[in-house]
């Protein structure tokens, strides 16, 4: 019998194509006349390939444009083949869309054409193109927690979909979004309390002006067939109703034998223009992601004899237990209304609800010696398996003049509510552990664990009041100031478990709250010419305090709110179709860790106090170049040099390879998992039209990614080593009866480099030496995609 997800997918697909047929019947021509175009086009955030930026305060309200909007007259190019890699417009939440040259922040982006041409399958694949971003893989690359500038992002506070908070640690398909932009640095004055990891902003695909029915089919080695249907257009007088229906199905073997992966998505996006000044945006999506038998995490515990990290395994060889994996389901609903009062004043209201469900049943693997021997035990992740988020925004933007000064004003509010839910019971495995060697035979034991029951384990509510003013003094000088006051309430539930039992008994909630926590940001911008900007920014941002777990000496304690600080200076220049930006920064943030509460502390469970125990200080330089360096050669490249250390700390950590008998101070040590140097270079070359119609359809791309040597434990005894990967690809675009078709072929990790893609510490500072988590990088994978428009 088919599953409910398969039935849902099939029903939605049939309904969508019936709707498309109705649209075709209602539209007399495939090329609508001018008067059928909408009075105003809409885009939730920045335009990844717009040609005409604007600094008006109403930018992004009713005059945006989706990256796929193209000329409706005559033949048009296939999606993404133009390789437009420069970002002229960025989205700054309450400040709306702004030209990058009028933005005193380091904002880097992965535009739509990169997503398409590199055949990305999940949004975390975009991270490698941004030199200040890294991923903490939580189960597999699809469920990673992002980092920026060496700071770990929050589960919800640092990630946004069209400006509204969403869960960062649930999988999303790349086919769902148009582009990614990351604001590096502190942004609490604009977005409310969050970690100093910046803002990860994903832009949904929106209805296009030209009617489009696009079908894409593809396969990834060693065999995951993928089908994606994308239908978009506008109907009604002046195109008042815009629609976009997007469907995805992928089911097959992952990157190694004895593995399996399934991805299914249905999304619908609508624009309803009530008049030429008011538009309603509605979006809904359902995504399921499931996998079995893929690579597990490997822990390195300081109580073992591991004094160096073994070479990463080749994941093209089956290493994961066939029963281990994930079942995940993410449902998202979003609504916005935008109204433009006049050319100077506008308002935006929006809300989002998301339910991210995950069942995680990986094997628990621990490397126990330098030769790569490891143990394996079936495990059930008893952490949160359901995140429910509701987020909101309300912004009033306007422009006023006071004498020679121009003010772009904003007053508004944004925030979110999140509830965590955990299982009450789970199956356990009591047999002998399996294991093997990273490069040898593997002995898998046990079977898939299961969960039952559910209780609300924690919640957080955050709401901020925001005011801001950008003052243009003259054509050279301007200043920006943004202030926010935030109200935070956090709750965590006490739990207990009978000795030896595999279930949890929920207890009472422990709560903490703070009112009107203040976050200011101030910037000065100087433009020596129209195409250059020099800026200085100071920011002080609040973030919610972390909470201790049941095994701490102070269980279920929420630490006071923390303040992070940043100083940043940057330079930006746009020349022709090229853009370059560079920034230097210094950032500090309190560092929470488990420390000994008394001199007699043994490091055992219950003896470690969870507290602020030092300052994480990161400073560095980052740069990015994007656009066309030659008429047929596009580039997206960047590098980041970063020094991330723990200062003023009384944290002690166990030294690996000493069986936990030796501990040293972590003060002055590098932060675990942060690369001192990271760089990426993506080139895309299209053969010139002078070679003839046939040859000019060809294009070639290459991407080189470098990751520096990262510390893998708090004492800096272990390091991952550096690595370099190479991706190669080609595509051929052609027309069939004036419709654009394109064939793409690529290979990621062409040299089959073996490397550790992610390393992070789960509970920093434990004197007994908590396990560090290591995830190996993916092996060589081939990708093929054929896309056709009708």
């Amino acid at each position: 019998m088919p599953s409910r997800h398969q039935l849902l997918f099939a029903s939605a697909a049939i309904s969508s194509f019936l709707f498309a047929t109705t649209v075709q019947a209602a539209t007399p021509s495939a090329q609508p006349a001018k008067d059928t175009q909408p009075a105003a086009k809409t885009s939730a955030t920045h335009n990844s390939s717009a040609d005409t930026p604007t600094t008006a305060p109403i930018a992004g309200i009713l005059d945006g444009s989706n990256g796929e909007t193209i000329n409706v007259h005559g033949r048009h190019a296939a999606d993404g083949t133009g390789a437009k890699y420069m970002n002229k417009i960025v989205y700054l939440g309450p400040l709306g869309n702004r030209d990058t040259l009028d933005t005193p922040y380091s904002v880097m982006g992965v535009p739509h054409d990169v997503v398409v041409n590199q055949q990305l399958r999940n949004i975390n694949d975009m991270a490698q193109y941004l030199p200040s971003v890294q991923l903490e893989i939580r189960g597999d690359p699809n469920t990673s927690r992002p980092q920026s500038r060496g700071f770990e992002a929050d589960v919800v506070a640092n990630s946004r979909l069209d400006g509204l908070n969403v869960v960062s640690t649930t999988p999303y398909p790349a086919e769902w979004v148009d582009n990614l932009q990351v604001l590096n640095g502190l942004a609490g004055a604009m977005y409310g309390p969050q970690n100093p990891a910046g803002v990860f902003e994903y832009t949904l695909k929106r209805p296009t002006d030209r009617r489009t029915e696009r079908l894409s089919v593809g396969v990834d080695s060693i065999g995951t067939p993928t089908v994606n249907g994308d239908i978009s257009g506008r109907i009604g007088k002046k195109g008042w109703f815009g629609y976009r229906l997007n469907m995805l199905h992928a089911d097959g073997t992952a990157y190694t034998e004895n593995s399996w992966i399934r991805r299914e998505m249905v999304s619908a996006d609508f624009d309803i223009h009530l008049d030429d000044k008011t538009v309603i945006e509605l979006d809904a999506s359902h995504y399921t992601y499931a996998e079995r038998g893929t690579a597990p995490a490997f822990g390195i515990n300081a109580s073992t004899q591991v004094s160096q990290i073994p070479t990463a395994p080749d994941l093209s060889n089956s290493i994961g237990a066939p029963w281990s994996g994930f079942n995940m389901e993410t449902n998202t609903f979003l609504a916005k209304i935008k109204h433009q009062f006049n050319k100077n004043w506008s308002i935006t209201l929006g809300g989002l609800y998301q339910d991210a469900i995950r069942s995680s049943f990986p094997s628990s693997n621990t490397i126990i010696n330098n030769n790569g021997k490891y143990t394996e035990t079936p495990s059930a992740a008893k952490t949160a398996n359901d995140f429910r988020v509701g987020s909101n925004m309300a912004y009033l933007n306007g422009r006023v003049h006071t004498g020679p000064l121009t003010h772009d004003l904003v007053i508004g509010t944004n925030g979110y509510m999140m509830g965590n839910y955990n299982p009450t019971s789970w199956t356990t495995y009591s047999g002998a552990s399996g294991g093997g060697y990273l490069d040898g035979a593997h002995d898998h034991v046990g079977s898939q664990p299961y969960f039952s029951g559910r209780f609300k384990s924690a919640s957080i509510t955050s709401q901020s009041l925001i005011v801001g003013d950008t003052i243009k003094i003259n054509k050279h000088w301007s200043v920006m100031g943004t202030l926010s006051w935030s109200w935070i309430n956090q709750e965590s539930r006490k739990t207990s478990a009978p000795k030896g039992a595999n279930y949890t008994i929920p207890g009472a909630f422990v709560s903490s709250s703070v009112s009107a926590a203040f976050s200011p940001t101030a910037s000065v911008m100087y433009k020596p010419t129209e195409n250059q900007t020099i800026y200085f920014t100071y920011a002080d941002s609040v973030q919610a305090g972390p909470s201790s777990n049941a095994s701490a000496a102070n269980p279920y304690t929420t630490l006071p709110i923390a303040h992070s600080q940043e100083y940043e200076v940057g330079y930006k220049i746009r020349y022709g179709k090229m853009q370059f930006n560079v920034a230097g920064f210094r950032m500090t943030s309190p560092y929470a860790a488990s420390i000994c509460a008394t001199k007699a502390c043994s490091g055992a469970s219950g003896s470690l106090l969870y507290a602020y125990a030092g300052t994480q200080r990161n400073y560095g330089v980052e740069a990015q170049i994007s656009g066309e360096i030659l008429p047929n050669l596009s580039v997206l490249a960047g590098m980041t040099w970063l020094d991330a250390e723990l200062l003023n700390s009384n944290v002690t950590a166990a030294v690996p390879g000493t069986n936990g008998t030796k501990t040293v101070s972590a003060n002055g040590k590098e932060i675990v998992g942060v690369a001192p140097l990271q760089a990426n270079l993506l080139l895309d070359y299209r053969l010139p039209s002078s070679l003839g119609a046939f040859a000019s359809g060809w294009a070639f791309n290459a991407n080189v990614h470098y990751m520096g040597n990262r510390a893998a434990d708090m004492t800096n005894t272990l390091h991952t080593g550096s690595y370099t990967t190479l991706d190669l690809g080609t595509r051929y675009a052609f027309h069939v009866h004036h419709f654009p078709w394109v064939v793409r072929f690529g290979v990621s990790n062409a040299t089959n480099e073996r490397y550790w893609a992610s390393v992070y510490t789960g509970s920093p500072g434990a004197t007994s030496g908590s396990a560090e988590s290591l995830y190996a990088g993916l092996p060589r994978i081939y990708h093929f995609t054929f896309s056709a428009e009708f």
Side-chain angles (χ1 to χ4, degrees):
M1 179 178 290
S3 69
R4 64 184 181 94
H5 300 310
Q6 293 172 323
L7 292 174
L8 174 63
F9 184 85
S11 301
I14 294 172
S15 301
S16 300
F17 279 102
L18 288 174
F19 180 81
T21 304
T22 305
V23 172
Q24 287 180 330
T27 307
S29 172
Q31 301 295 343
K34 279 187 177 181
D35 61 0
T36 65
Q37 297 305 297
K41 296 175 288 185
T42 62
S43 174
T45 60
H46 65 290
N47 176 0
S48 63
S49 58
D51 291 326
T52 308
T54 176
T55 59
I58 58 172
I61 303 300
L62 293 170
D63 61 353
S65 174
N66 186 278
E68 293 182 274
T69 300
I70 57 179
N71 195 325
V72 298
H73 302 291
R75 298 204 313 177
H76 56 274
D79 183 33
T81 55
K84 296 180 179 179
Y85 292 170
M86 181 172 67
N87 293 292
K88 287 186 177 180
I89 300 296
V90 296
Y91 178 67
L92 297 180
L95 305 184
N97 285 354
R98 296 204 174 188
D99 189 319
T100 54
L101 295 179
D102 297 319
T103 305
Y105 304 98
S106 174
V107 185
M108 298 182 178
V110 180
H112 171 77
D113 287 4
V114 171
V115 177
V116 176
N117 291 334
Q118 299 305 110
Q119 303 181 76
L120 304 186
R121 305 307 190 199
N122 68 77
I123 63 173
N124 288 326
D125 288 341
M126 304 179 191
Q128 66 174 313
Y129 303 101
L130 301 178
S132 290
V133 176
Q134 292 180 242
L135 297 178
E136 291 182 2
I137 298 177
R138 302 297 177 108
D140 80 331
N142 290 268
T143 55
S144 306
R145 180 182 287 197
Q147 293 182 6
S148 174
R149 292 183 175 175
F151 289 97
E152 179 188 75
D154 182 80
V155 173
V156 172
N158 295 84
S159 298
R160 281 171 165 73
L161 179 69
D162 285 3
L164 292 157
N165 293 92
V166 290
V167 177
S168 66
T169 52
T170 193
Y172 300 102
E175 296 87 349
W176 185 44
V177 300
D178 182 81
N179 59 80
L180 162 68
Q181 77 167 39
V182 177
L183 189 161
N184 297 311
L186 299 184
M190 292 188 293
Y191 291 96
Q194 58 182 211
N195 292 7
V199 179
F200 292 77
E201 177 71 52
Y202 300 95
T203 304
L204 277 174
K205 291 181 176 179
R206 300 225 57 78
T208 56
D209 291 343
R210 182 186 56 79
R211 197 183 75 209
T212 301
E213 294 88 32
R214 182 182 300 117
L215 177 66
S216 299
V217 296
V219 64
D220 300 330
S221 63
I222 52 179
T224 308
T226 301
V227 180
N228 178 214
D230 191 357
I231 304 169
S232 182
R234 301 185 188 275
I235 58 176
K237 186 176 181 181
K238 295 185 178 181
W240 70 272
F241 183 81
Y243 64 90
R244 187 153 194 169
L245 304 171
N246 197 351
M247 297 146 287
L248 170 71
H249 175 76
D251 194 342
T253 306
Y255 49 81
T256 184
E257 293 182 358
N258 303 317
S259 66
W260 166 76
I261 187 173
R262 185 183 73 235
R263 302 190 302 136
E264 292 182 344
M265 182 265 292
V266 178
S267 71
D269 309 275
F270 304 103
D271 292 345
I272 303 172
H273 290 263
L274 303 182
D275 53 40
D276 62 352
K277 294 185 177 181
T278 309
V279 61
I280 297 174
E281 297 178 358
L282 302 174
D283 308 275
S285 73
H286 168 83
Y287 182 54
T288 58
Y289 174 83
E291 66 169 34
R292 298 291 187 278
T294 57
F298 292 92
I300 298 182
N301 197 299
S303 63
T304 62
Q305 289 291 338
V306 179
S307 59
Q308 65 182 33
I309 293 180
T311 302
D314 181 355
L315 296 189
S316 60
N317 301 320
S318 180
I319 194 172
W323 49 261
S324 66
F326 303 86
N327 289 334
M328 303 195 183
E329 178 180 323
T330 306
N331 300 296
T332 308
F333 306 93
L334 183 153
K336 285 185 181 180
I337 183 168
K338 305 174 181 180
H339 178 73
Q340 181 177 320
F341 298 103
N342 52 47
K343 66 178 183 179
N344 288 329
W345 288 90
S346 63
I347 190 171
T348 302
L349 306 174
L352 176 146
Y353 174 77
Q354 185 176 74
D355 189 4
I357 305 167
R358 68 182 184 191
S359 295
S360 177
F361 32 87
S363 58
S364 178
N365 300 269
T366 302
I367 298 174
I368 59 175
N369 67 25
N370 295 339
N371 296 323
K373 186 177 181 180
Y374 70 93
T375 60
E376 176 189 273
T377 305
S379 66
K382 301 178 284 294
T383 52
N385 64 353
D386 191 359
F387 299 93
R388 300 176 187 176
V389 177
S391 54
N392 64 82
M393 63 161 65
Y395 307 134
L396 176 66
N397 298 83
R399 172 171 290 175
V400 298
H401 300 274
T402 57
L405 305 180
T406 300
H407 301 262
D408 289 339
L409 304 172
V410 62
I411 182 170
T413 182
N414 58 37
Y416 67 91
M417 297 178 290
M418 181 184 71
N420 288 2
Y421 295 81
N422 289 49
T424 55
S425 62
W426 50 89
T427 57
T428 60
Y429 178 74
S430 57
S433 296
Y437 286 87
L438 296 177
D439 283 331
H442 313 288
D443 179 22
H444 303 303
V445 300
S447 59
Q448 177 181 326
Y450 288 90
F451 306 87
S452 63
R454 181 172 295 172
F455 72 99
K456 188 174 184 179
S457 57
S459 67
I460 180 171
T461 301
S462 175
Q463 195 71 34
S464 300
L465 172 65
I466 300 159
V467 295
D469 186 6
T470 302
I471 305 173
K472 184 176 181 181
I473 301 172
N474 54 43
K475 67 178 182 179
H476 295 297
W477 291 94
S478 59
V479 296
M480 176 190 289
T482 310
L483 312 173
S484 72
W485 292 264
S486 303
W487 285 258
I488 309 170
N489 185 73
Q490 296 175 265
E491 292 184 329
S492 59
R493 173 168 275 175
K494 293 183 176 181
T495 59
S496 59
K499 187 174 182 180
N502 58 345
Y503 63 91
T504 292
I505 303 173
F509 278 105
V510 178
S511 63
S512 65
S513 62
V514 62
S515 298
F518 183 55
S519 297
T521 295
S523 303
V524 178
M525 290 176 282
Y526 173 67
K527 301 183 71 172
T529 61
E530 281 297 317
N531 67 330
Q532 300 181 76
T533 301
I534 302 170
Y535 69 88
F536 170 78
T537 294
Y538 166 78
D540 184 310
S541 184
V542 68
Q543 68 186 84
S547 298
S548 60
N549 56 33
S551 62
N554 52 339
Y556 309 107
T557 298
T558 298
L559 302 185
I561 60 169
H563 280 269
S564 302
Q565 289 187 327
E566 175 189 33
Y567 298 88
E568 178 175 322
V569 60
Y571 171 72
K572 304 179 183 182
I573 183 172
R574 182 182 300 146
Y575 182 79
K577 295 184 178 181
M578 288 291 300
Q579 186 165 279
F580 172 76
N581 55 277
V582 61
F585 55 87
R586 185 184 189 275
M587 302 172 62
T588 58
S589 182
Y591 190 85
S594 299
I595 60 176
C596 283
T598 65
K599 291 183 178 180
C601 170
S602 64
S605 176
S607 67
L608 296 172
L609 185 71
Y610 191 67
Y612 290 122
T615 300
Q616 181 175 346
R617 188 272 297 140
N618 295 8
Y619 65 79
V621 178
E622 61 192 7
Q624 186 182 52
I625 185 171
S626 61
E628 293 186 22
I629 54 179
L630 293 172
N632 286 61
L633 181 61
S634 298
V635 62
L636 180 66
M639 62 78 61
T640 297
W641 173 81
L642 185 61
D643 185 294
E645 293 185 4
L646 177 60
L647 303 179
N648 305 318
S649 176
N650 58 350
V651 172
T652 58
V655 178
T658 63
N659 282 324
T661 60
K662 181 180 179 181
T663 61
V664 299
S665 171
N667 188 53
K669 303 296 185 180
E670 297 177 17
I671 300 298
V672 173
V674 179
L677 182 64
Q678 184 173 344
N680 197 85
L681 171 64
L682 171 63
L683 295 172
D684 187 286
Y685 178 68
R686 286 86 61 202
L687 294 182
S689 58
S690 60
L691 297 179
F694 176 79
S696 63
W698 283 105
F700 305 88
N701 61 70
N703 185 76
V704 179
H705 184 76
Y706 173 81
M707 180 73 73
N709 190 16
R710 293 154 292 166
D713 74 301
M714 292 198 66
T715 68
N716 293 183
T717 303
L718 304 177
H719 287 80
T720 61
S722 61
Y723 68 86
T724 303
T725 57
L726 172 66
D727 305 333
L728 299 172
T730 185
R731 65 179 179 274
Y732 183 70
F734 56 101
H735 284 78
V736 177
H737 296 293
H738 299 284
F739 292 106
W741 292 16
V742 61
V743 178
R744 293 180 172 89
F745 176 78
V747 53
S748 56
N749 193 7
T751 61
N752 202 32
E753 175 87 352
R754 294 167 58 178
Y755 62 96
W756 293 109
S758 175
V759 56
Y760 61 92
T761 181
S763 302
T767 56
S768 59
S770 60
E772 325 296 334
S773 294
L774 287 162
Y775 279 89
L778 296 181
R780 180 190 297 117
I781 301 177
Y782 298 96
H783 310 276
F784 171 81
T785 305
F786 167 70
S787 298
E789 291 189 19
F790 302 97

